[in-house]
Amino acid sequence: MEINGNVPMKIDREEVWKSLFSAEAWKNAVQAEKFEQVGVALFDVAVMVDFAILKGLHDAQLMFNDIIHNYSSNFNVENKLVKTVEGTFELKHPDEVEPEEGTDSHPEGTRTILNYRLNMDAGNPLFNAAFEGFKHKIQEAFEEILARLETAVHY
């Protein structure tokens, strides 16, 4: 399952970048039990999940790679329930991104667009079908977390 989109933010590129690499910002945005930086771009995570077939406390590792400072980074999440979770974050100026369909402009005050791509493969056709069935909800939840990073940067 692949999802992608844009999250408009009222903070500048440097602040968005800072939040992407801040354990405290992610911990607040995800509402994680644990979100600890254990390497330069590696985080140990423990999150309580209650979504469809995923329930309980889940441990994972979030790793950033192919980092271009203040511009883009690939990431992957390792977790025992999902075979692969990988994606890309890219920071753009609002002039570089078309406004949301049906609108003439980005929300007032937008200074940075956080463009993302997220690809998930459960490694099981049944689970992949379940993910596809919840694709819209997963995208909404992911975008809500990313939007929370905007305020979490000022922890």
Side-chain angles (χ1 to χ4, degrees):
M1 174 193 74
E2 185 170 319
I3 58 175
N4 55 63
N6 297 306
V7 179
M9 298 199 164
K10 294 180 180 180
I11 58 177
D12 64 31
R13 182 184 300 236
E14 292 80 18
E15 290 177 291
V16 176
W17 188 260
K18 179 182 171 185
S19 70
L20 287 174
F21 291 91
S22 165
E24 193 65 28
W26 277 105
K27 184 175 182 178
N28 292 334
V30 176
Q31 300 171 350
E33 301 288 321
K34 174 178 95 172
F35 210 110
E36 295 177 359
Q37 187 165 3
V38 294
V40 173
L42 180 64
F43 299 86
D44 280 340
V45 182
V47 178
M48 187 61 72
V49 178
D50 186 10
F51 186 79
I53 57 174
L54 303 175
K55 301 202 184 295
L57 188 64
H58 291 272
D59 293 321
Q61 277 199 322
L62 169 63
M63 183 183 338
F64 292 96
N65 52 61
D66 298 327
I67 298 167
I68 301 173
H69 187 76
N70 279 344
Y71 180 71
S72 69
S73 177
N74 293 336
F75 65 89
N76 66 346
V77 177
E78 292 184 9
N79 159 300
K80 65 182 177 185
L81 293 178
V82 180
K83 181 180 174 184
T84 59
V85 177
E86 57 189 17
T88 303
F89 291 128
E90 194 170 39
L91 306 182
K92 298 187 175 200
H93 188 275
D95 293 345
E96 298 176 279
V97 180
E98 291 291 320
E100 193 173 310
E101 191 174 324
T103 65
D104 294 334
S105 64
H106 298 292
E108 187 175 334
T110 298
R111 295 171 68 187
T112 306
I113 303 290
L114 175 56
N115 174 266
Y116 71 89
R117 179 192 58 79
L118 177 66
N119 187 6
M120 295 174 54
D121 178 3
N124 175 309
L126 182 61
F127 287 179
N128 283 338
F131 281 146
E132 280 294 331
F134 289 103
K135 186 175 186 173
H136 184 70
K137 290 284 187 194
I138 292 169
Q139 183 168 15
E140 281 181 357
F142 191 61
E143 288 186 4
E144 181 180 324
I145 289 168
L146 294 176
R148 285 186 205 150
L149 283 174
E150 182 174 28
T151 56
V153 75
H154 299 290
Y155 53 90

